Amino acid sequence: MNDSAFPRPSGTHRNPSIGLDPVDIEALVDARHPDPFSRLGMHSTSAGHVVRTLLPGAAHVAVVERASGALLGQLSEIAAGGLFAGFVERAVPYRLRIDWHGVEQEIEDTYSFGPVLDEDALQRLARSDPYAVIQCLGARPCTQDGIPGVRFAVWAPNARRVSVVGEFNAWDGRRHPMRLRHVAGVWELFVPRLSAGATYKYEIIARDGHTLPLKADPCAMQTERTPATASVVADVERIEHFRWTDGAWIANRGSLQTPDAPMSIYEVHPESWLRIDEAGHRGLNWSELAERLIPYALDMGFTHVEFLPIAEHPFGGSWGYQPLSPFAPSARFGPPEGFAEFVNRAHEAGLGVILDWVSAHFPNDAHGLAAFDGTPLYEHADPREGYHQDWNTMIYNLGRNEVSAFLIASALAWLLRYHVDGLRVDAVASMLYRDYSRAEGQWVPNIYGGRENLEAIAFLKRVNHEVGYAPGVPGAITIAEESTAWPGVTARVEDGGLGFNFKWNMGWMHDTLHYMQEDPVYRRYHHHNMTFGMVYAYSERFVLPLSHDEVVHGKGSLLGKMPGDRWQRFANLRAYFGFMWTHPGKKLLFMGGEFAQDTEFDHDGSPRWHLIDDPMHRGVQLLVRDLNRLYAAEPALHALDSEPGGFEWLVGDDSANSVFAYRRCDGAGREVAVVCNFTPVPRHGYRIGMQRAGPWHEIVNTDADIYGGSNVGNGGVAVTENVASHGKPQSLLLTLPPLATIVLRAN
């Protein structure tokens, strides 16, 4: 800014206030000036070069040459509140030498640096380019004019003023007001000599003049550990230039996550998977989780671990489903690079990593996204669209391009920065319908008068398109938690679908659990609950979930849902797992279920690992391990998972005996037969028609004594007889164990 237009003062006296009128001075002192860079820093005036700086609390300020340290001039306080100004000998790069009443500091002047975002970046942000959000917004250590520091940038288009505050400026919003780049509605600032590890927030004055509660950075890559709420300047170099050694996994990942690949997912709440009682009942950090969780999941035969949301969230009781920093791995588990190290080690060991990702809503904590710049910026203004009654959260305004880009950037950042293999998108049903969980008159129709959320549909399609085609994330997948009959969830975007790779089969989960909770004597009346899933099994590509949602809020554990005495409850659960692992669809099991956890999920506790010492619990764990290994090794159980030719009912109508039998095949000559007896009555001489003649080996029997069963079975092998049955030319005469599933493989 050249102040030469201001008149030269009369006489020889040089007034350091030259170029400032009382309105400027008042606005600067109150940190409400619309353009502080136009007045602060070094400026050329008719009387010479003047330096102005706002340093509330400083006693004296001098200006020294950056290169030599030579004194260039002394500044005087020209207005109460810390506004200093003075003339300097020459216009050269300089530093401020500040006397804080006995403590001296020498530092470059923030207001001596030019803009930090170039015009191309601003135009990309204005066009809502998610890659520009990743690259430009947030806090990044960088070098400006040869000086190290941190670049801050935040989207707040309706704010009157935004300042970055932290311990480095005593959380004083007057010290570092930011520069508004109007074209993108982004405020930016370079703070010299600041480095990774600094805590910060944004102090925002709304357009009506009131100061908002300090806001955390929406794009922060790191945060303080809860209950603290500040953002942290992340060591971006250690995150974005992490030394990955998982190239072989990434190159092969696409073949490991296809519809014809075996995928068995271990769902984990990382904070409570294993707590250390000797250390204050704390959860494990990423390094400890890598040491314990990765080998455990692999030994159990799981192909993937899926974490409940790990993005920073203030309330642990939300299990991560109310995140406020969707770019930052939670500080509960250590620094962000620790998560990168976990993923790298998982990939080296052959284990995939999926994250739950939340794009439907966010909490209304004062330091978060709600009314971020004093207006409904990220959320809808109308509570009928912007407030979620069920969860007391705010709903993203996905029709706003900048919000959509922000969330897409979050999705891509997890895949690009941390090599995550897939995102399970939470609460998709609540996004698709404008009347989700709302009574008549409490929701706003779309532009055509319908209930479909057109903006959310477009957003989900774009997310899936970006993940599917983004360079640098080959083979990454998306999975929808969607509980309705919305068509085409896993159909390609090009074909009119939403574009997800897989969908949780919530209907299968609810139907089959309802069946299993019935006393066996009544199961004959609910037989259809076990067969109905095959009516629509190929309408989408499914994951069969037994998730955390089924073992919380008074629903009890999986074991607790099973009827009968203790032996029967375990037998029911084992038989159910046998049915699930042989049914078409990928598998997902929440932690603790693999050893028949006997209480429901408690995020403040841990799975009751000591139960493994009990033979019955240990037996269930061994069964899940063996089922996982069989599922991965036997192509008939996964190769045609999404094609009708991979499944055939052998016996689907024997409701009187609660028996189900079906065959699975891989289309290349390999096949298995599965028989489930969901009553406590052993059935001897049960005939089942078979197409293939010869011996059939009993490769799994959930009633085996090693699993805690009664060891009723077929002696390891059964041979077909030349007796037609069930429309087949051959048949097997089998012994069906009580409350059990057996798996037979053709020789």
Side-chain angles (χ1 to χ4, degrees):
M1 173 72 181
N2 191 314
D3 295 332
S4 59
F6 291 91
R8 182 186 297 272
S10 60
T12 59
H13 176 68
R14 295 196 303 171
N15 180 1
S17 302
I18 194 168
L20 296 179
D21 58 33
V23 174
D24 279 322
I25 293 174
E26 182 180 1
L28 288 170
V29 170
D30 291 342
R32 294 175 183 270
H33 199 286
D35 185 10
F37 277 86
S38 69
R39 296 293 182 262
L40 299 179
M42 181 180 287
H43 296 272
S44 176
T45 75
S46 57
H49 298 290
V50 66
V51 171
R52 310 185 191 105
T53 182
L54 185 67
L55 295 168
H60 303 285
V61 183
V63 181
V64 299
E65 186 174 0
R66 184 189 299 173
S68 67
L71 182 67
L72 295 174
Q74 296 282 354
L75 307 187
S76 58
E77 189 171 17
I78 63 172
L83 181 60
F84 289 82
F87 289 96
V88 294
E89 295 180 0
R90 55 191 180 276
V92 294
Y94 67 95
R95 292 163 64 89
L96 300 175
R97 184 175 291 161
I98 309 166
D99 174 10
W100 298 101
H101 295 276
V103 177
E104 187 174 285
Q105 178 190 24
E106 192 170 302
I107 192 170
E108 288 77 16
D109 184 0
T110 295
Y111 296 93
S112 67
F113 295 91
V116 298
L117 297 177
D118 60 29
E119 290 302 319
D120 177 68
L122 292 172
Q123 290 297 330
R124 292 170 59 212
L125 286 169
R127 294 195 302 268
S128 301
D129 178 353
Y131 290 95
V133 174
I134 293 174
Q135 295 160 8
C136 300
L137 299 186
R140 284 177 172 264
C142 65
T143 299
Q144 185 97 337
D145 299 341
I147 304 301
V150 174
R151 181 196 80 195
F152 296 92
V154 62
W155 179 58
N158 303 305
R160 178 179 292 185
R161 187 265 286 167
V162 180
S163 294
V164 60
V165 297
E167 292 181 1
F168 59 90
N169 62 12
W171 301 94
D172 189 338
R174 297 171 295 175
R175 292 272 301 277
H176 288 99
M178 304 174 78
R179 174 193 284 114
L180 174 61
R181 308 301 298 276
H182 291 273
V183 67
V186 169
W187 300 76
E188 60 166 30
L189 194 70
F190 175 75
V191 179
R193 305 294 173 179
L194 205 59
S195 58
T199 56
Y200 70 99
K201 284 186 177 181
Y202 295 114
E203 182 181 277
I204 300 176
I205 296 179
R207 61 186 174 191
D208 65 2
H210 81 278
T211 302
L212 302 174
L214 296 183
K215 294 288 189 177
D217 188 346
C219 294
M221 293 187 226
Q222 188 173 352
T223 66
E224 286 188 298
R225 180 164 184 168
T226 183
T229 57
S231 303
V232 175
V233 177
D235 190 336
V236 177
E237 184 71 19
R238 298 184 67 178
I239 297 172
E240 295 191 341
H241 298 282
F242 180 84
R243 296 183 62 183
W244 292 95
T245 55
D246 64 345
W249 169 272
I250 296 296
N252 195 42
R253 177 170 63 183
S255 65
L256 302 174
Q257 304 187 144
T258 59
D260 60 356
M263 289 181 61
S264 185
I265 303 166
Y266 186 44
E267 188 188 34
V268 172
H269 178 244
E271 188 174 12
S272 66
W273 181 73
L274 179 64
R275 293 188 181 274
I276 308 300
D277 289 333
E278 298 80 5
H281 202 56
R282 69 170 178 85
L284 303 182
N285 60 35
W286 288 122
S287 178
E288 293 166 328
L289 281 164
E291 290 290 334
R292 304 292 291 270
L293 175 57
I294 292 172
Y296 176 76
L298 287 170
D299 180 66
M300 287 296 296
F302 290 102
T303 63
H304 292 72
V305 62
E306 178 179 318
F307 288 123
L308 274 60
I310 64 166
E312 192 59 83
H313 49 283
F315 177 45
S318 74
W319 317 322
Y321 288 102
Q322 294 186 11
L324 269 184
S325 296
F327 292 81
S330 175
R332 293 167 172 84
F333 314 110
E337 58 267 27
F339 178 58
E341 178 64 27
F342 176 91
V343 176
N344 193 54
R345 292 174 65 177
H347 286 173
E348 287 184 323
L351 184 69
V353 180
I354 298 170
L355 294 185
D356 281 10
W357 180 68
V358 183
S359 56
H361 61 133
F362 60 90
N364 56 10
D365 298 63
H367 68 279
L369 301 176
F372 185 78
D373 65 356
T375 66
L377 190 63
Y378 288 90
E379 69 272 31
H380 291 274
D382 189 332
R384 294 175 299 168
E385 297 180 277
Y387 177 70
H388 207 300
Q389 302 170 104
D390 291 353
W391 302 319
N392 190 31
T393 53
M394 313 308 293
I395 299 172
Y396 283 110
N397 182 358
L398 297 174
R400 188 164 196 165
N401 291 336
E402 296 92 340
V403 175
S404 175
F406 167 77
L407 288 169
I408 293 169
S410 165
L412 292 172
W414 291 107
L415 301 172
L416 291 166
R417 287 174 179 160
Y418 300 106
H419 285 204
V420 167
D421 301 299
L423 300 173
R424 176 270 199 182
V425 183
D426 179 62
V428 171
S430 75
M431 300 172 69
L432 292 174
Y433 299 96
R434 286 178 161 268
D435 63 345
Y436 182 88
S437 194
R438 293 182 184 273
E440 187 68 30
Q442 294 181 350
W443 57 281
V444 179
N446 63 33
I447 58 173
Y448 303 109
R451 58 195 286 256
E452 299 81 7
N453 191 324
L454 304 179
E455 296 81 7
I457 295 166
F459 165 77
L460 291 170
K461 289 182 176 183
R462 187 179 176 195
V463 169
N464 291 322
H465 176 82
E466 292 287 353
V467 172
Y469 292 97
V473 294
I477 61 172
T478 58
I479 304 169
E481 186 213 14
E482 205 284 313
S483 56
T484 74
W486 186 278
V489 172
T490 58
R492 298 191 314 162
V493 172
E494 297 91 326
D495 297 329
L498 295 182
F500 287 93
N501 297 92
F502 298 98
K503 170 184 170 175
W504 273 22
N505 195 336
M506 312 289 279
W508 177 91
M509 177 180 68
H510 291 305
D511 287 346
T512 58
L513 279 176
H514 178 75
Y515 177 88
M516 294 305 301
Q517 288 177 275
E518 292 289 340
D519 188 292
V521 73
Y522 300 118
R523 283 177 176 166
R524 65 177 62 193
Y525 306 113
H526 303 275
H527 198 77
H528 64 282
N529 282 341
M530 298 295 269
T531 60
F532 184 64
M534 289 310 304
V535 172
Y536 60 87
Y538 306 110
S539 62
E540 304 279 3
R541 295 185 297 275
F542 285 119
V543 173
L544 308 182
L546 291 177
S547 73
H548 66 279
D549 279 329
E550 300 313 304
V551 291
V552 292
H553 300 322
K555 296 177 184 176
S557 65
L558 291 178
L559 181 67
K561 298 178 193 295
M562 302 296 121
D565 59 26
R566 186 173 191 267
W567 187 93
Q568 290 177 337
R569 291 201 306 276
F570 279 94
N572 270 302
L573 185 58
R574 294 193 305 267
Y576 183 43
F577 282 164
F579 175 78
M580 172 179 173
W581 257 261
T582 56
H583 191 284
K586 311 309 176 190
K587 324 302 174 189
L588 180 139
L589 183 63
F590 184 56
M591 65 183 197
E594 77 274 17
F595 61 83
Q597 165 84 10
D598 59 355
T599 56
E600 67 177 27
F601 169 47
D602 174 14
H603 65 272
D604 289 325
S606 279
R608 289 158 53 86
W609 292 104
H610 66 277
L611 294 174
I612 297 173
D613 294 333
D614 182 303
M616 297 295 281
H617 291 276
R618 175 65 177 164
V620 174
Q621 186 186 47
L622 291 174
L623 174 65
V624 171
R625 182 197 66 181
D626 289 350
L627 286 171
N628 271 331
R629 293 177 177 180
L630 174 66
Y631 169 61
E634 182 51 68
L637 291 176
H638 61 257
L640 297 181
D641 237 3
S642 299
E643 299 179 34
F647 178 94
E648 179 188 12
W649 284 112
L650 299 175
V651 179
D653 58 356
D654 190 1
S655 58
N657 293 308
S658 297
V659 169
F660 305 85
Y662 46 92
R663 64 186 283 267
R664 300 292 308 279
C665 63
D666 68 351
R670 295 178 64 91
E671 64 178 284
V672 298
V674 182
V675 188
C676 307
N677 175 17
F678 285 114
T679 68
V681 180
R683 304 197 182 278
H684 301 280
Y686 193 97
R687 189 173 294 278
I688 297 177
M690 306 295 287
Q691 186 69 36
R692 179 176 295 189
W696 287 75
H697 296 275
E698 192 175 72
I699 54 177
V700 169
N701 181 345
T702 67
D703 190 51
D705 56 4
I706 192 175
Y707 304 138
S710 59
N711 219 32
V712 173
N714 297 278
V717 67
V719 180
T720 59
E721 299 177 356
N722 193 25
V723 176
S725 183
H726 299 96
K728 304 294 184 183
Q730 311 288 325
S731 59
L732 287 174
L733 205 60
L734 298 172
T735 295
L736 306 186
L739 295 173
T741 295
I742 60 173
V743 183
L744 305 157
R745 181 169 58 207
N747 190 20

